[in-house]
Amino acid sequence: GAGVSQSPSNKVTEKGKDVELRCDPISGHTALYWYRQRLGQGLEFLIYFQGNSAPDKSGLPSDRFSAERTGGSVSTLTIQRTQQEDSAVYLCASSLAASGWETQYFGPGTRLLVL
Amino acid sequence: AQTVTQSQPEMSVQEAETVTLSCTYDTSESDYYLFWYKQPPSRQMILVIRQEAYKQQNATENRFSVNFQKAAKSFSLKISDSQLGDAAMYFCAYRYGGSQGNLIFGKGTKLSVKP
């Protein structure tokens, strides 16, 4: 009965370095989402996976951002050549299916600080 | 494009009193869902209440209820008998009813509860 987990909880990196953020969704959930939350702001959608379908990457802010989901479960969000404006909390959510009614369950997020 | 607006950056309520948080949205779709999420300092997003657009009856969950005005595109959250544990950021969110699953969030309202 574990919820969505994310690692690391916090990450401090230097500008220009690459970072990988991990998300473990709830077992059996076919849909997985990544959001970004800048300080004092709401959540911005980044990318969405549904089963084996091609991901919806429409929210990715630049080509430095990419994500994959292996085996329909764990997902990794990669940010290459990090910039200071990438500093934010990155939240992952999963849901049983991708339909509008399904509740999205969120993980605790990864706080990324780019120095 | 769909947008969600929360016009109250901060609100305050006395313990045991009632408070209403405002939310308006813009969409041309007829099939959609609306949500209120709570985010305490732990960063964990928790679903508070949700509403289907095709339902006229306002959703209620214990001390939480909504006032859904579809024509006015308004979706306010009422918290009755406020408790100290209700203190958090509250986010209003919209989701299209089709298979496209991502949530669109407002910027949030910070609720303080005074003892």
Side-chain angles (χ1 to χ4, degrees), chain B residues 8 12 23 35 39-42 47 49-50 63 67-68 72 77 89 92 102 106 108 115:
Chain B
Q8 306 153 316
S12 181
C23 173
F35 305 82
Q39 187 180 43
S42 65
L47 179 67
I49 197 166
R50 58 185 178 178
R63 297 183 295 107
N67 183 6
F68 175 46
L77 173 69
M89 284 291 292
C92 179
N102 64 283

Side-chain angles (χ1 to χ4, degrees), chain A residues 40-62:
Chain A
Q41 301 294 313
L43 282 67
E44 306 169 71
F45 165 70
L46 296 177
I47 188 169
Y48 146 66
F49 297 88
Q50 168 55 43
N52 295 320
S53 302
D56 174 2
K57 305 178 182 180
S58 60
L60 294 179
S62 78

Side-chain angles (χ1 to χ4, degrees), chain A residues 5-8 20-24 34 74-77 92 110:
Chain A
S5 61
Q6 293 186 246
S7 59
E20 286 189 351
L21 312 179
R22 177 186 169 105
C23 172
D24 280 272
W34 282 98
V74 172
S75 177
T76 302
L77 176 69
C92 174
T110 293

Side-chain angles (χ1 to χ4, degrees), chain B residues 2-3 5 10 27 29 34 37 39-40 48-50 58 65 68 70 75 77 79 84 92 95 103 105:
Chain B
Q2 296 89 355
T3 58
T5 302
E10 295 187 27
T27 183
E29 304 291 342
L34 297 165
Y37 277 87
Q39 187 180 43
V48 174
I49 197 166
R50 58 185 178 178
N58 289 323
S65 61
F68 175 46
K70 190 171 184 179
F75 183 62
L77 173 69
I79 306 174
L84 295 177
C92 179
R95 190 178 186 187
L103 292 160
F105 286 86

Side-chain angles (χ1 to χ4, degrees), chain A residues 9-10 33 35 37 40-43 45 48 56 89 91 95 97-104 106-111, chain B residues 33 35 37 39 42-47 50-52 89 91 95-108:
Chain A
S9 296
N10 296 282
Y33 311 80
Y35 295 88
Q37 185 178 25
Q41 301 294 313
L43 282 67
F45 165 70
Y48 146 66
D56 174 2
V89 175
L91 290 155
S95 63
S99 67
W101 179 244
E102 289 291 342
T103 297
Q104 292 188 18
F106 284 80
T110 293
R111 185 181 298 279
Chain B
Y33 300 88
F35 305 82
Y37 277 87
Q39 187 180 43
S42 65
R43 297 199 308 243
Q44 188 85 43
M45 295 283 284
I46 303 164
L47 179 67
R50 58 185 178 178
Q51 174 84 39
E52 301 108 302
M89 284 291 292
F91 292 95
R95 190 178 186 187
Y96 171 56
S99 60
Q100 195 76 359
N102 64 283
L103 292 160
I104 298 170
F105 286 86
K107 292 188 175 182

